């Protein structure tokens, strides 16, 4: 029986300490080795999504540095589309290379994806999505002086970053096309960076200055393409309770109600694990199907024996 799986890649699957194109391509070549394990199972329709927070922030800075009247910087939604293209290219190349090396017969395609959001979403009044590089406190002050319209905040004790609005996805314009291609057996890279955020009114489609959380978009995409499972890949093997405390405990399986109780306790940091848990819960609640949170390097163990954090209805 064919199984359709949507996989959301964390930033660690793409970006290392070196932000060069070569380094990111090298990271994705390693990522592809893990992902092709899904295809080796046989009878799997794979749809991949990915983040773009560092890349979109870096490209915005490049745009501003070179901006002039004759060569103006592009708006944030357009820059999001640019990074969808670059990461989609690199990941498709890496997947093709790994697929061929294993003797598999699999087509790969990247779909530029638009995600519909609500123009009245409260997120536009309270930016929360980090993009771009980390700054020291001194660097952050300089950035604020240079860009007084930006919101710069401390990011989980790791430094300071620019944050932008992150509205929740309502729908995905290319969902039907993605589902059709998946049914044809094409491995897809779609909704990169959460998709290009757009507001839709009648026949008018307008891009907006925002970056959508890729995990929430992955959950919405998985729902709309009728995926059998959502897999969210991050830096750790399990979601944990009481993280970094003597009472720390791995969560290997939990219901939506049990996870919601932990969210309500404040167990998960807003800037890291909380959106992943909430996105996984939203998919399970909408579909009744399972969602999994685990690490990229744990894929083989997950495929073999279900190892990871499994959230059920």
């Amino acid at each position: 029986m064919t199984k359709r799986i949507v996989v959301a890649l964390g930033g660690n699957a793409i970006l290392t300490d070196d932000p060069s194109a070569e380094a990111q391509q090298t990271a994705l070549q390693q990522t592809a080795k893990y992902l092709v394990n899904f295809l080796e199972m046989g009878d799997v329709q794979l749809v991949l999504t990915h983040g773009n927070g560092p890349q979109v922030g870096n490209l915005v800075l490049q745009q501003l540095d070179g901006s002039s009247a004759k060569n103006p910087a592009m708006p944030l939604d357009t820059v999001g589309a640019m990074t969808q293209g670059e990461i989609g290219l690199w990941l498709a190349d890496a997947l093709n290379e790994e697929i061929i090396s294993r003797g598999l017969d699999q087509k790969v395609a990247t779909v530029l994806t638009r995600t519909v959001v609500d123009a009245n979403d409260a997120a536009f009044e309270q930016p929360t999505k980090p993009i771009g590089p980390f700054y020291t406190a001194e660097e952050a002050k300089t950035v604020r002086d240079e860009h007084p319209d930006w919101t710069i905040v401390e990011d989980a004790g790791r430094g300071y970053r620019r944050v932008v609005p992150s509205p929740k996805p309502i729908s995905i314009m290319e969902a039907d096309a993605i589902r059709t291609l998946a049914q044809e057996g094409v491995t897809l890279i779609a909704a990169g960076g959460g998709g290009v955020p757009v507001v839709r009114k009648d026949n008018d489609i307008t891009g907006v200055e925002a970056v959508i959380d890729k995990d929430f978009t992955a959950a919405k995409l998985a729902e709309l393409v009728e995926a059998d499972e959502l897999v969210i890949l991050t830096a750790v093997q399990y979601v944990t309770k009481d993280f970094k405390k003597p009472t720390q405990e791995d969560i290997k399986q939990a219901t939506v109600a049990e996870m919601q109780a932990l969210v309500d306790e404040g167990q998960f940091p807003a800037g890291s694990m909380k959106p992943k848990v909430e996105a996984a819960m939203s998919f399970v609640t909408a579909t009744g199907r399972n969602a999994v949170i685990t690490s990229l390097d744990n894929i083989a163990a997950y495929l073999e024996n279900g190892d990871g954090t499994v959230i059920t209805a």
Side-chain angles (χ1 to χ4, degrees), residues 76-148:
L76 189 55
D77 58 307
T78 303
V79 174
M82 292 174 178
T83 58
Q84 269 199 62
E86 71 174 10
I87 298 171
L89 167 67
W90 295 336
L91 182 53
D93 285 346
L95 288 168
N96 280 134
E97 183 179 317
E98 185 64 22
I99 286 167
I100 291 169
S101 74
R102 297 197 197 185
L104 301 176
D105 182 17
Q106 184 71 40
K107 296 181 179 67
V108 179
T110 299
V111 180
L112 183 68
T113 311
R114 295 165 293 176
T115 302
V116 181
V117 300
D118 184 351
N120 297 314
D121 193 304
F124 287 108
E125 301 300 322
Q126 187 176 5
T128 58
K129 179 67 176 173
I131 65 170
F134 286 93
Y135 302 109
T136 64
E138 186 176 341
E139 289 170 335
K141 182 179 184 305
T142 301
V143 172
R144 287 191 183 101
D145 292 340
E146 293 175 349
H147 304 285

Side-chain angles (χ1 to χ4, degrees), residues 288-312:
R289 304 183 188 106
N290 291 356
V292 182
I293 302 174
T294 192
S295 60
L296 182 66
D297 59 8
N298 193 53
I299 285 177
Y302 168 67
L303 293 175
E304 185 176 340
N305 56 33
D307 191 42
T309 296
V310 181
I311 301 174
T312 69

Side-chain angles (χ1 to χ4, degrees), residues 6-66:
V6 171
V7 177
L9 292 172
N12 61 312
I14 306 169
L15 190 66
T16 61
D17 293 335
D18 181 352
S20 69
E22 293 79 11
Q24 292 184 72
Q25 287 170 293
T26 299
L28 284 168
Q29 286 170 345
Q30 183 60 45
T31 294
K33 293 181 186 300
Y34 292 116
L35 294 174
V36 174
N37 288 333
F38 283 102
L39 300 178
E40 282 200 318
M41 293 171 59
D43 292 327
V44 169
Q45 297 171 356
L46 191 62
V47 181
L48 303 169
T49 72
H50 59 79
N52 72 342
Q55 293 85 357
V56 77
N58 290 347
L59 186 52
V60 165
L61 292 174
Q62 292 172 14
Q63 292 266 317
L64 291 173
D65 285 344

Side-chain angles (χ1 to χ4, degrees), residues 84 111-115 172-175 178 189-192 194-196 221:
Q84 269 199 62
V111 180
L112 183 68
T113 311
R114 295 165 293 176
T115 302
I172 294 171
M173 294 189 64
E174 288 73 22
I178 292 166
I189 303 157
V196 177
L221 179 62

Side-chain angles (χ1 to χ4, degrees), residues 169 219 230 273 275:
L230 170 66
M273 192 56 73

